[in-house]
Amino acid sequence: MPRDLPEWINDRRRDLGDRVRDLRIRADYTQEHFAEITGIDRRTLQRIECGESDPRYGHLLRIAAALDVRVSVLVD
């Protein structure tokens, strides 16, 4: 992943990660349990929540389904 991305992209990644983390915690899921129910590796989820990676669309769909929200709630 390129490190020379514009700051606004990094800001959006962090916003997405914060939303995922907040919704996961509100749903009372640990990262480990959330990884199990989404089928996404825990380290991948951790990187998404920290704003360190761009999640695949399929991951966003799984995360949204597990949290019972629309993908737009995560990326808005």
Side-chain angles (χ1 to χ4, degrees), residues 28-72:
D28 201 29
Y29 294 139
T30 64
Q31 276 188 345
E32 292 79 15
H33 183 65
F34 197 53
E36 289 174 18
I37 63 174
T38 59
I40 302 170
D41 181 71
R42 187 196 59 79
R43 177 67 181 131
T44 300
L45 286 170
Q46 183 180 34
R47 292 184 74 221
I48 291 169
E49 288 186 1
C50 291
E52 296 173 358
S53 84
D54 292 321
R56 297 178 183 175
Y57 185 65
H59 288 166
L60 289 175
L61 291 172
R62 290 177 182 202
I63 290 168
L67 295 171
D68 196 29
V69 298
R70 296 178 63 134
V71 171
S72 61

Side-chain angles (χ1 to χ4, degrees), residues 5-34:
L5 294 172
E7 193 57 34
W8 66 268
I9 290 178
N10 293 322
D11 291 343
R12 293 298 303 256
R13 279 184 181 169
R14 284 188 292 273
D15 291 344
L16 169 67
D18 290 345
R19 274 189 221 96
V20 171
R21 182 184 311 105
D22 291 346
L23 290 167
R24 174 183 60 78
I25 290 170
R26 275 192 223 153
D28 201 29
Y29 294 139
T30 64
Q31 276 188 345
E32 292 79 15
H33 183 65
F34 197 53

